Amino acid sequence: HTTAGVSALYWGMYVPVVMAPPVKHFLVGIDEADEILEPDSIVLGIEIAGEVRAYPRDLIARPHWFNDELDGNPMMISYCILCNSGQAFVPVLKDGRRLDLRNMTAFDNNTIYHCRKTGNFIQQLDGRVIRGPNEGERLDSYPVIMARWDEWKRLHPNTKMYYAPPQTLRDRAVQKMLMKMIPLSRLAARDKPWHVVRSEIDARLPAMSFVFGVEINDETCAYPVTALKERPVINDSVGGEPIVVFYDKAHNIGQVFLRCLDDKVLTFTEATEDGGSLVVTDQQTGTTWSVSGHALDGTLAGSTLTAAPHWNQLFWFSWATFKQGTRINEG
């Protein structure tokens, strides 16, 4: 009875109150963001239809999500600190109803959001309704990129930063507590997840190692960061779709793209380094590309690759737990 009572208080009062959404937020430019962030601060970045945002990890880690608007659509930027998984969702059901999601609990170390209006529970890593009237429905999603602030702004000079500073003593205290208890460096140094995982953890890779996870047409594949450090460009096919993984080891940033452009399938290879940054060349046209998928020089200059559905540098245990049987490509 004591355990049940403590659990009820924790999930019924602590989580909804402590992890409440920010009261205020502002969009600030690079100059102002430079006064707030350190160069090596980790941000969650996203680019949609030319709009670019950066969300400081240390700020989003407390509520586990921010509400924003991109390309005229509502957008929920979600983040689970225990899995290091970021994903952006359009919080609208297929019938047009807008979801009002709140962090509710965790399942196998991954955050679950709840919408009181509709009664739906949504898994963060999948963006899928796991319980409720719309069970099985999956929200439209976009990949979120993990990056250092100095590298993100270099690649995206038009970025805006979403700034949601703590407004109360409680907010500031909880934020400092989280950053002290479970900073990313401390989580990554563990040999097992923070909480118990119900199923056996896939031992093909170290549990807390970082991977890029791709899921297309019900096929999944993981690309370990350790392998990408040796081979920073991997051409592959997932779910019948040609894809490529770029990884800049000097700046610890990577992305996954579809290799089809204007009905042509491109094959990429590592080219030269531009001041220590990865530059990639496609074999078909000789065009050079940045790690962010923008064509820098050559026949296709000005073109942009389409991001493939993927999860950016999350912990292996979380990918393997929710995508059981996933393939691994080590280059």
Side-chain angles (χ1 to χ4, degrees), residues 9-21 62-63 103 116 168 170-171 174:
L9 286 172
Y10 180 78
W11 296 118
M13 298 180 65
Y14 174 83
V15 171
V17 172
V18 170
M19 297 184 178
R62 183 184 66 81
N103 183 21
R116 289 185 179 180
T168 66
R170 177 203 67 186
D171 291 348
V174 172

Side-chain angles (χ1 to χ4, degrees), residues 83-295:
C83 294
N84 198 47
S85 60
Q87 194 79 332
F89 307 116
V90 178
V92 179
L93 294 170
K94 287 183 170 48
D95 60 15
R97 284 181 296 165
R98 172 74 180 267
L99 295 169
D100 183 17
L101 296 171
R102 294 288 185 273
N103 183 21
M104 175 57 64
T105 184
F107 175 72
D108 278 347
N109 284 260
N110 187 243
T111 292
I112 292 177
Y113 301 108
H114 177 239
C115 176
R116 289 185 179 180
K117 293 193 305 182
T118 65
N120 288 305
F121 292 85
I122 293 176
Q123 192 83 49
Q124 185 272 340
L125 197 145
D126 255 351
R128 189 190 303 275
V129 180
I130 58 170
R131 292 287 186 275
N134 298 87
E135 185 171 342
E137 184 172 328
R138 197 166 183 174
L139 303 180
D140 291 337
S141 64
Y142 298 86
V144 168
I145 313 307
M146 302 286 181
R148 286 169 48 120
W149 167 240
D150 56 358
E151 182 65 4
W152 181 257
K153 70 178 183 178
R154 184 188 72 81
L155 292 168
H156 302 280
N158 61 328
T159 190
K160 299 287 186 183
M161 187 189 81
Y162 183 108
Y163 184 44
Q167 297 291 313
T168 66
L169 178 61
R170 177 203 67 186
D171 291 348
R172 291 191 290 271
V174 172
Q175 182 185 338
K176 288 183 178 180
M177 176 190 72
L178 287 173
M179 292 304 97
K180 185 175 180 62
M181 287 176 57
I182 43 178
L184 186 57
S185 58
R186 183 175 177 183
L187 283 172
R190 293 171 59 87
D191 59 4
K192 60 182 179 181
W194 187 264
H195 296 303
V196 173
V197 175
R198 296 175 310 134
S199 58
E200 185 176 350
I201 295 175
D202 192 321
R204 286 180 292 168
L205 294 172
M208 306 303 288
S209 59
F210 294 107
V211 301
F212 290 81
V214 178
E215 180 178 29
I216 302 175
N217 298 330
D218 296 325
E219 182 183 358
T220 60
C221 187
Y223 303 84
V225 168
T226 51
L228 287 163
K229 287 179 178 179
E230 300 298 323
R231 186 178 178 182
V233 178
I234 297 180
N235 296 279
D236 199 359
S237 179
V238 179
E241 294 285 348
I243 63 104
V244 63
V245 186
F246 295 163
Y247 179 71
D248 185 336
K249 60 184 177 182
H251 300 97
N252 189 27
I253 182 174
Q255 288 192 248
V256 185
F257 301 99
L258 300 176
R259 286 194 284 125
C260 289
L261 186 68
D262 299 330
D263 298 323
K264 180 181 293 185
V265 178
L266 302 176
T267 304
F268 295 90
T269 184
E270 182 181 4
T272 58
E273 289 188 350
D274 177 18
S277 298
L278 176 71
V279 176
V280 179
T281 300
D282 72 72
Q283 296 177 2
Q284 284 69 28
T285 72
T287 299
T288 57
W289 303 80
S290 72
V291 71
S292 58
H294 295 282

